[in-house]
């Protein structure tokens, strides 16, 4: 017996859960777990269903998906995905804490993915990746235009064909051409503040200058709007007047890596639906 995940997004209607589970029963799939949400603002329905059964025949699987789609309102989007390990490409600059957390979680099996490549615009984190037997690729900005550097980085990413690209403190503003090269939901970023506060550079200095009592981190999908993509996960920690910008940054590193891991795990487990500029997270 094998487990797969049925992902459903459609216009909300009466009896959708029963219709979906009835089709599962018709195809002799056992429903292990399901989570659902109906958005009242735009009448949209989202459901994640974990099912168990025999999935050896891809043609039968396609028939199953088409049958589910057929009992739902017109325009429904239905996907059947596996539960196997995904492939990640991680982009970095010089800060090691988020990359280190990802490498450790992948190494220990606490993350349902393999990091197939780490790529950076500086060589600093190459030795860290190599300690985990993960290849590191330097794509330097020295002596070339931003356009050329991004072109080379896209070639590196595409060469390893990852399921997701993780920006683990990759301190580069991506061009619309780079972002548009990948489908929405492919690139995940960790931002060092509780968005929408302190967008852009030096967020901890901004936080210090405002005398904040909470600092946080936000993991989100990347769009052409800087730090404004659909949010996957956020968290905060308490600080006080004794924190200077340096100690704020040190404290912030802990929450950054925690939030990034939470977001990546949700995405890897297919628990995130993109809903306009928001997300539905199960």
């Amino acid at each position: 017996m094998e487990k797969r995940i049925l992902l459903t997004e459609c216009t909300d209607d009466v009896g959708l859960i029963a219709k979906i589970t009835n089709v599962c029963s018709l195809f002799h799939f056992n429903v292990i777990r399901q989570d659902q949400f109906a958005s009242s603002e735009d009448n949209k329905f989202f459901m994640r269903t974990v099912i168990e059964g025999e999935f050896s025949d891809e043609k039968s699987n396609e028939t199953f998906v088409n049958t589910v789609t057929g009992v739902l309102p017109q325009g429904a989007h239905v996907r059947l995905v596996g539960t196997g390990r995904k492939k990640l490409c991680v982009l970095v600059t010089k800060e090691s804490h988020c990359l280190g957390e990802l490498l450790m979680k992948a190494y220990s099996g606490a993350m349902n993915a393999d990091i197939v490549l780490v790529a950076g615009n500086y060589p600093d984190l190459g030795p860290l990746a190599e300690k985990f037997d993960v290849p590191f690729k330097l794509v330097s900005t020295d002596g070339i235009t931003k356009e050329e550097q991004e072109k080379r980085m896209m070639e590196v990413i595409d060469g390893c064909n990852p399921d997701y690209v993780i920006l683990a403190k990759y301190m580069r503003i991506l061009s619309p051409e780079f972002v548009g090269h990948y489908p929405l939901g492919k690139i995940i970023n960790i931002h060092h503040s509780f968005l929408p506060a302190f967008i852009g550079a030096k967020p901890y200095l901004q936080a210090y200058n405002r005398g904040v009592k909470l600092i946080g981190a936000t993991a989100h999908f990347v769009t052409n709007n800087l730090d404004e993509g659909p949010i996957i996960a956020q968290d905060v920690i308490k600080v006080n007047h004794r924190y200077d910008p340096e100690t704020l940054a040190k404290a912030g590193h802990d929450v950054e890596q925690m939030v990034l891991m939470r977001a990546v795990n949700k995405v890897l487990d297919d628990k995130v639906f993109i809903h306009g500029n928001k997300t539905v997270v199960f």
Side-chain angles (χ1 to χ4, degrees):
M1 301 290 279
E2 181 184 353
K3 290 182 182 178
R4 292 204 182 181
I5 301 170
L6 183 69
L7 302 170
T8 305
E9 179 179 352
C10 65
T11 302
D12 194 20
D13 199 1
V14 175
L16 292 178
I17 297 174
K19 291 177 180 178
I20 294 169
T21 55
N22 283 341
V23 175
C24 291
S25 177
L26 177 66
F27 280 77
H28 306 290
F29 294 141
N30 185 32
V31 175
I32 303 298
R33 174 171 179 159
Q34 62 184 23
D35 298 280
Q36 65 277 335
F37 171 73
S39 171
S40 58
E41 64 177 337
D42 57 2
N43 201 40
K44 289 291 186 181
F45 174 83
F46 305 86
M47 190 161 88
R48 176 185 185 271
T49 311
V50 182
I51 56 179
E52 185 179 57
E54 299 293 339
F55 298 96
S56 56
D57 186 346
E58 289 303 320
K59 185 174 181 180
S60 296
N61 296 341
E62 182 179 351
T63 301
F64 167 65
V65 170
N66 290 338
T67 304
V68 173
T69 305
V71 302
L72 300 177
Q74 187 174 5
H77 182 52
V78 180
R79 292 186 295 138
L80 183 66
V81 299
T83 58
R85 293 174 71 83
K86 309 291 198 307
K87 297 193 299 181
L88 305 182
C89 176
V90 183
L91 305 192
V92 297
T93 297
K94 292 183 177 182
E95 295 185 64
S96 63
H97 58 287
C98 286
L99 173 62
E101 184 74 2
L102 288 165
L103 288 167
M104 182 59 71
K105 289 295 191 293
Y107 175 80
S108 66
M111 180 172 69
N112 191 28
D114 297 307
I115 300 174
V116 295
L117 181 71
V118 176
N121 55 326
Y122 290 92
D124 300 50
L125 299 183
L128 176 58
E130 290 163 6
K131 286 181 180 179
F132 289 85
D133 295 323
V134 175
F136 178 86
K137 180 70 175 179
L138 174 63
V139 187
S140 176
T141 59
D142 293 344
I144 60 174
T145 65
K146 177 179 179 179
E147 181 182 7
E148 179 61 27
Q149 193 267 349
E150 285 197 334
K151 180 181 177 182
R152 294 181 185 180
M153 184 63 82
M154 286 188 285
E155 289 173 352
V156 166
I157 294 169
D158 295 347
C160 65
N161 192 30
D163 294 290
Y164 298 101
V165 178
I166 312 299
L167 308 184
K169 307 297 290 183
Y170 184 60
M171 308 305 289
R172 300 276 294 174
I173 296 176
L174 303 179
S175 70
E177 290 74 23
F178 189 105
V179 174
H181 184 70
Y182 300 100
L184 177 60
K186 178 94 169 183
I187 308 176
I188 300 170
N189 182 49
I190 181 66
H191 184 77
H192 33 219
S193 78
F194 194 76
L195 293 174
F198 309 131
I199 292 174
K202 299 182 179 180
Y204 293 114
L205 179 59
Q206 295 180 57
Y208 173 75
N209 290 336
R210 289 293 304 273
V212 301
K213 300 300 182 277
L214 293 171
I215 59 172
T218 301
H220 63 94
F221 292 117
V222 173
T223 65
N224 284 324
N225 296 320
L226 179 63
D227 298 331
E228 294 184 11
I231 291 171
I232 308 166
Q234 293 181 292
D235 211 339
V236 294
I237 56 175
K238 292 182 179 180
V239 295
N240 59 46
H241 60 278
R242 298 183 185 277
Y243 286 69
D244 59 23
E246 289 74 25
T247 52
L248 281 176
K250 289 179 181 178
H253 286 175
D254 289 338
V255 70
E256 286 171 15
Q257 62 190 36
M258 176 181 64
V259 169
L260 179 59
M261 279 308 314
R262 186 183 303 162
V264 169
N265 279 328
K266 288 288 187 180
V267 171
L268 292 175
D269 290 339
D270 293 291
K271 292 183 176 181
V272 182
F273 290 84
I274 297 176
H275 181 208
N277 199 44
K278 299 189 292 186
T279 56
V280 173
V281 182
F282 291 123

